[in-house]
Amino acid sequence: MNFRTLGIVVVAALVVVAVAAGGLWAFGRLSSLDSYGSQYDYSVRVSADEPISNVTVLVPLPVSDGSSAVGEAVESREYLLPTGWAYDVVETEYGPMLRLRADELPADPTYYRAVVENDRLVRWEPIPASEYSRNDSDTLRVEHDAIDLSADVRVNQSIDTLAPEGTEPLFEPRENARLVPCDWPSNSDDTRCYDYESMLFVQYDGPETTNVSVSVELRGANSWWVGGWNYNEYVDHVAAYDLPADRQGWVVADGELRTGVGNYPRNPPQ
């Protein structure tokens, strides 16, 4: 093979490699665009180490521009709550909050059966305890030694997980915010952690030895598929653990904000 022929072969090979690489890049980009999604996830948990009754708890909602889309989603959801439990969004001196009320905590377990229509689960309907079977996946037993609520909101634009302050929903109130070292390692150089103070409201009837714990968390995340699932997120968390019975009413709670968690592509979908 002469040098001219060898050169043609080399050039042809480089062209093939370039086309293949471009095709892989385009395929990866299309996969990213097709799978890309952004979502807020909100969760609340209230628990007590002794039985209590007439429970009222107010927890922060994620707020942006004075309103809470997540709060609206919570109100529109149906949950597996027993009789005597309720939740709603109320305005307070500290802004909009989620109010949870329960006749008692702990309460007796409740039981449900799956209702399936057109091969799709549409709801869980209450059933007597006698109809529940632990070996039947279509029946469900729900313990109520704590109040647990959650909601999710999907959005059609990328969430700013690097710097959510001022652009994304965060818990209010937030006072005395400060940058602090992160408590656990992160693979991203972009991760930042902040402490701040927020407020919760707790009221109930119960023994003087009772301790109550309240926590609320918001995750704002982007996720996409390129050779596996990728994501980035920010996490806002407010909690007051083991509150003694003499600390009722409005109490100061510990807030933590963690931003820039995950990986960040150069040209993320918008």
Side-chain angles (χ1 to χ4, degrees):
M1 181 181 296
N2 59 39
F3 285 108
R4 180 178 179 180
T5 303
L6 179 60
I8 292 173
V9 171
V10 170
V11 170
L14 291 174
V15 169
V16 170
V17 171
V19 170
L24 289 173
W25 179 89
F27 177 76
R29 182 65 177 172
L30 288 173
S31 297
S32 173
L33 289 171
D34 185 58
S35 62
Y36 196 90
S38 301
Q39 180 169 309
Y40 302 106
D41 291 288
Y42 175 75
S43 60
V44 183
R45 181 174 176 82
V46 181
S47 61
D49 59 5
E50 295 185 79
I52 57 177
S53 59
N54 299 322
V55 183
T56 299
V57 176
L58 280 77
V59 295
L61 284 165
V63 175
S64 179
D65 295 328
S67 62
S68 178
V70 172
E72 296 171 3
V74 174
E75 286 193 295
S76 66
R77 286 296 191 85
E78 293 183 0
Y79 293 93
L80 303 177
L81 294 178
T83 301
W85 291 29
Y87 59 91
D88 58 353
V89 175
V90 297
E91 287 293 334
T92 75
E93 60 187 290
Y94 300 107
M97 289 200 169
L98 183 68
R99 177 173 59 185
L100 304 100
R101 289 175 290 181
D103 288 346
E104 59 178 338
L105 177 71
D108 293 332
T110 50
Y111 302 87
Y112 302 86
R113 182 179 302 281
V115 177
V116 178
E117 297 177 0
N118 299 322
D119 297 324
R120 180 175 176 271
L121 175 65
V122 294
R123 67 180 183 277
W124 291 90
E125 64 179 14
I127 59 174
S130 59
E131 296 183 16
Y132 166 76
S133 172
R134 61 185 303 176
N135 297 320
D136 183 356
S137 60
D138 288 334
T139 62
L140 179 68
R141 173 189 169 109
V142 179
E143 300 289 348
H144 298 297
D145 57 345
I147 301 175
D148 289 285
L149 288 180
S150 62
D152 57 81
V153 176
R154 295 188 64 85
V155 292
N156 295 323
Q157 62 184 22
S158 184
I159 295 172
D160 186 353
T161 61
L162 279 171
E165 300 91 337
T167 60
E168 302 294 344
L170 293 171
F171 290 138
E172 296 287 348
R174 49 196 316 113
E175 301 290 342
N176 302 320
R178 60 192 182 96
L179 182 67
V180 297
C182 295
D183 289 337
W184 59 92
S186 172
N187 294 328
S188 173
D189 294 334
D190 297 312
T191 303
R192 299 289 183 272
C193 296
Y194 304 84
D195 282 351
Y196 64 94
E197 294 177 351
S198 192
M199 300 296 293
L200 300 169
F201 181 89
V202 179
Q203 191 173 63
Y204 59 89
D205 296 331
E208 295 181 356
T209 53
T210 302
N211 292 298
V212 172
S213 294
V214 182
S215 64
V216 54
E217 184 172 275
L218 172 73
R219 290 178 179 267
N222 306 300
S223 61
W224 63 97
W225 176 273
V226 177
W229 279 109
N230 298 268
Y231 82 101
N232 54 62
E233 69 178 8
Y234 74 90
V235 182
D236 203 4
H237 183 86
V238 170
Y241 295 113
D242 297 326
L243 289 170
D246 60 358
R247 287 188 63 191
Q248 296 196 37
W250 288 108
V251 297
V252 177
D254 296 325
E256 299 176 312
L257 174 63
R258 184 176 172 89
T259 67
V261 180
N263 51 65
Y264 291 84
R266 291 184 178 180
N267 298 303
Q270 299 297 320

